[in-house]
């Protein structure tokens, strides 16, 4: 019997699957970066770097990181494209940022009719989309909506908030939530002299609009925190990961916190 959220679970959304694959690759990048950084800092068992430099292993680690980034980008694209759901056009908003009722259309079916058992719910994320309850998969129940002061994130936005949070932690970047999938690896690390508080605020900030910034802060508390309880897949469960293509005996299993814990250091005797 499969537990909820495990790979192959029929109740999974494509966004949960993409999120797990991204987290698996983040764990792989951490592991390969650890190998590269450890060699740079300590050398190979303290001996001459030139004499014992493990070029093949270092090249394999660099290739594995590059491939992991491709897989992350591919899955971020799945999240961004949201199965073709469309956003409410920007010109539908009033000068004050309001939205006329007739402009609120479902991003899936395009309809604007709402009923007592199939209301249209606006996402409080940065996507600008609205959804009929029954157009979501699985359908959204009103009792599952968070309190008004927390806001509701559609499944793609919830997955993106979680992934951006951990990608920023991985790369020490301040990537905003509305970053397109094509640009997720284009950000420079934040200035090390920047205060921790300001860095945290910038990491989850939108592109500059009040709407994006507010949504980013709300999502930090709800989406990213809830993600910590996910059962992260190992590379063996990830059908996008080919262990044979990336390494020999290493299977890249990920811990629940998104980091990897090799059973033994490659630099140990």
């Amino acid at each position: 019997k499969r537990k909820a959220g495990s790979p192959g679970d029929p109740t999974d959304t494509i966004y949960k699957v993409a999120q797990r694959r991204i987290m698996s690759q983040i764990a792989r990048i951490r592991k390969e970066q650890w190998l590269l950084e450890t060699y740079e800092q300590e050398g190979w068992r303290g001996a001459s770097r030139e004499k014992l430099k493990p070029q093949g292993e270092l090249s394999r680690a660099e290739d594995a990181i590059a491939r992991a980034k491709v897989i992350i980008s591919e899955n971020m694209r799945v999240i961004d494209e949201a199965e073709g759901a469309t956003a409410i056009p920007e010109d539908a908003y009033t000068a004050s940022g309001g939205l006329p009722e007739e402009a609120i259309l479902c991003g899936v079916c395009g309809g604007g009719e709402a009923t007592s058992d199939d209301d249209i719910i606006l996402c409080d994320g940065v996507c600008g989309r609205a959804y009929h309850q029954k157009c979501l998969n699985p359908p959204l129940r009103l009792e599952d909506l968070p309190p008004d002061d927390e806001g509701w994130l559609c499944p793609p936005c919830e997955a993106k908030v979680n992934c951006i949070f951990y990608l920023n932690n991985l790369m020490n970047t301040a990537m905003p939530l509305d970053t397109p999938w094509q640009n997720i690896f284009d950000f420079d690390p934040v200035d090390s002299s920047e205060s921790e508080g300001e860095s945290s605020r910038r990491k989850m900030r939108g592109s500059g609009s009040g709407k994006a910034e507010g949504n980013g802060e709300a999502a930090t508390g709800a989406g990213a925190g809830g993600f910590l309880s996910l059962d992260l897949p190992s590379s063996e469960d990830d059908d996008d990961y080919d262990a044979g293509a990336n390494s020999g005996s290493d299977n890249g299993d990920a811990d629940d916190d998104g980091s990897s814990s090799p059973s033994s250091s490659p630099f140990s005797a």
Side-chain angles (χ1 to χ4, degrees):
K1 180 180 179 181
R2 290 184 179 272
K3 58 184 176 180
S6 64
D9 177 11
T11 65
D12 262 358
T13 66
I14 64 169
Y15 311 111
K16 288 181 180 179
V17 173
Q19 180 176 299
R20 280 201 309 273
R21 290 173 176 169
I22 288 168
M23 291 306 299
S24 177
Q25 298 306 315
I26 287 175
R28 172 151 298 283
I29 290 175
R30 286 191 186 279
K31 182 174 183 176
E32 303 298 354
Q33 284 181 339
W34 173 82
L35 186 150
L36 294 173
E37 292 168 3
T38 300
Y39 177 79
E40 287 300 320
Q41 293 170 5
E42 300 178 5
W44 183 253
R45 300 178 184 171
S48 167
R49 293 189 180 187
E50 294 303 321
K51 183 177 180 181
L52 295 171
K53 192 170 184 179
Q55 289 286 6
E57 183 68 6
L58 297 181
S59 295
R60 181 209 58 76
E62 291 170 351
D63 290 345
I65 290 173
R67 185 169 186 271
K69 288 182 176 181
V70 171
I71 295 174
I72 288 172
S73 295
E74 290 172 349
N75 283 278
M76 288 295 287
R77 179 178 182 176
V78 169
I79 293 171
D80 272 5
E81 291 181 347
E83 298 182 278
T86 57
I88 296 172
E90 292 186 6
D91 58 12
Y93 292 86
T94 65
S96 61
L99 195 61
E101 184 175 348
E102 62 271 14
I104 302 177
L105 304 177
C106 175
V108 176
C109 72
E113 182 179 355
T115 62
S116 59
D117 64 343
D118 195 17
D119 202 357
I120 298 180
I121 311 296
L122 276 166
C123 176
D124 289 305
V126 296
C127 68
R129 292 186 290 261
Y131 295 87
H132 278 115
Q133 291 173 247
K134 295 182 179 179
C135 284
L136 288 164
N137 181 27
L140 176 69
R141 302 181 303 175
L142 287 179
E143 55 265 34
D144 291 334
L145 286 171
D148 291 340
D149 59 345
E150 291 185 12
W152 173 75
L153 295 178
C154 66
C157 276
E158 183 177 11
K160 187 161 186 177
V161 164
N162 293 329
C163 294
I164 292 290
F165 179 87
Y166 284 100
L167 284 168
N168 275 333
N169 282 344
L170 171 72
M171 301 183 292
N172 192 33
T173 51
M175 181 182 1
L177 293 176
D178 56 357
T179 301
W181 66 269
Q182 302 97 320
N183 304 126
I184 58 175
F185 293 111
D186 292 347
F187 292 83
D188 294 325
V190 296
D191 188 346
S192 59
S193 64
E194 184 178 25
S195 70
E196 182 178 348
E198 178 60 19
S199 174
S200 298
R201 285 192 292 273
R202 289 183 59 222
K203 282 186 178 183
M204 300 310 295
R205 190 173 296 163
S207 60
S209 68
K211 179 180 177 184
E213 181 171 348
N215 291 332
E217 292 172 356
T220 308
F227 183 63
L228 290 174
S229 62
L230 280 182
D231 183 15
L232 296 180
S234 71
S235 55
E236 293 176 342
D237 295 325
D238 183 356
D239 56 13
D240 274 343
Y241 173 67
D242 178 5
N246 281 314
S247 64
S249 59
D250 170 33
N251 64 10
D253 289 348
D255 290 337
D256 285 349
D257 64 356
S259 64
S260 61
S261 297
S263 57
S264 62
S265 166
F267 299 101
S268 62

